[in-house]
Amino acid sequence: MATRLQSEWDRLYRCGPAVDPASGDPGLIDAEGRVRALVLSLARPADWSVLGRVWQGVQTDLGWPAPGIAVSGTDACQLWFSLAEPVSAADAHALLAQLRTRYLTDIPLHRVALLPSADGVELAPPVPALQADGEVWSAYVAPDLAPVFADTPWLDVRPSPEGQAELLARLSSIRAAEYRAALPVAPAVPASATASVSATSFTDPRQFLLQVMNDGRVEMALRIEAAKVLLPRS
C-alpha cells in the first residue's frame, strides 16, 4: 500500500503494534486474538440493494458511522466496520451475527459471510489487493457506485492508492459505547442456548459446542454458529 493508504488502513483496521508492510502481515489480529476490523460479505449475487439496507440501517437505526464498502475481487460485496477498541474474535463474530439477524433474516445463510470467524482462524483478506488470477482487484468503492458491481464485484485495473486512501479517510471507527448501547455483544454461545442444551457441567469447550450443534432444542442459527467454530478443528 502507498503511504497515505497504509496510514488510513492502520487507523481503521490494524490491531496491535504496526508491522512492516513488506512482511505481508495485514495486522488484523493481535497476539491476544483481538480484532478491530469486522467484515460482513454478501455473495451469490453481490446484491447491493440487500447489503445497502445494512449500510443504511446501522447509520439510521444505531447511530453508527458509515462502514466502508468494498468489492471482494471474487464474488462478494462487503461492509468493513472499524471498532475504536479491539474485541475478541468471538465477540466480533457475535456482533456481526446480531447485524445479520437484525437486517438479513430473509437471506440464506450460505450467501452471508461474517469475518473474523468466531475462533479467529479466518480473517477477511485485506483490501485493495490483486486476486489470485492476477487479472482483477478487490477495492473500496463509493456508496453511489456500489450498485454497479452487483454482477462483477471487482475492478479490472489497479485502483488508485490515493483514491482508496480518500475513501478510507472519510470513515470513522465505532466507539465501544456506540455498539454496546445498540447491540450488546452476546457471548459466542448465548446463555439461553446453554440452558436449553442440558444441566450437564462442561469442562471441555469442544464437547460443549458439539452438544449445542446436535441439540434439536437449540435455535438453528446457534447450532450453525457452533458448527462453524468446530469445522476447522474437525
Side-chain angles (χ1 to χ4, degrees):
M1 294 185 186
T3 302
R4 186 186 177 207
L5 178 53
Q6 184 70 57
S7 177
E8 293 295 346
W9 167 273
D10 289 352
R11 177 181 67 85
L12 292 168
Y13 305 125
R14 184 171 297 285
C15 190
V19 297
D20 180 2
S23 70
D25 179 4
L28 287 177
I29 191 165
D30 67 11
E32 298 178 29
R34 300 178 304 173
V35 299
R36 293 179 58 220
L38 284 61
V39 179
L40 191 156
S41 294
L42 179 71
R44 300 179 293 276
D47 189 345
W48 176 247
S49 67
V50 173
L51 198 60
R53 69 192 187 210
V54 185
W55 182 81
Q56 186 64 57
V58 297
Q59 297 176 73
T60 303
D61 303 335
L62 307 181
W64 293 1
I69 303 167
V71 288
S72 69
T74 53
D75 63 351
C77 189
Q78 303 175 329
L79 295 181
W80 281 71
F81 298 89
S82 167
L83 299 184
E85 300 175 14
V87 299
S88 70
D91 279 354
H93 191 85
L95 182 59
L96 289 170
Q98 290 180 71
L99 291 179
R100 179 180 62 194
T101 299
R102 182 171 183 135
Y103 295 108
L104 300 175
T105 53
D106 57 329
I107 303 302
L109 291 177
H110 74 270
R111 291 187 58 198
V112 181
L114 310 178
L115 298 170
S117 58
D119 57 8
V121 171
E122 187 177 2
L123 304 171
V127 175
L130 181 64
Q131 300 306 294
D133 62 9
E135 296 183 359
V136 298
W137 290 76
S138 61
Y140 293 102
V141 298
D144 57 344
L145 292 180
V148 175
F149 296 96
D151 295 326
T152 55
W154 56 76
L155 268 64
D156 293 323
V157 296
R158 180 181 181 180
S160 160
E162 188 61 27
Q164 293 289 282
E166 182 60 33
L167 288 171
L168 293 184
R170 302 171 189 172
L171 304 178
S172 301
S173 298
I174 306 167
R175 297 189 301 271
E178 289 177 320
Y179 72 74
R180 291 190 186 280
L183 290 174
V185 176
V189 180
S192 58
T194 306
S196 67
V197 173
S198 75
T200 304
S201 178
F202 289 90
T203 58
D204 183 345
R206 187 174 186 278
Q207 288 300 318
F208 173 73
L209 290 169
L210 281 170
Q211 184 77 4
V212 171
M213 185 180 69
N214 293 315
D215 194 324
R217 296 169 295 175
V218 177
E219 294 180 24
M220 181 57 70
L222 298 177
R223 294 171 67 189
I224 291 171
E225 292 301 325
K228 286 181 178 178
V229 175
L230 287 167
L231 186 59
R233 302 171 185 171
S234 299

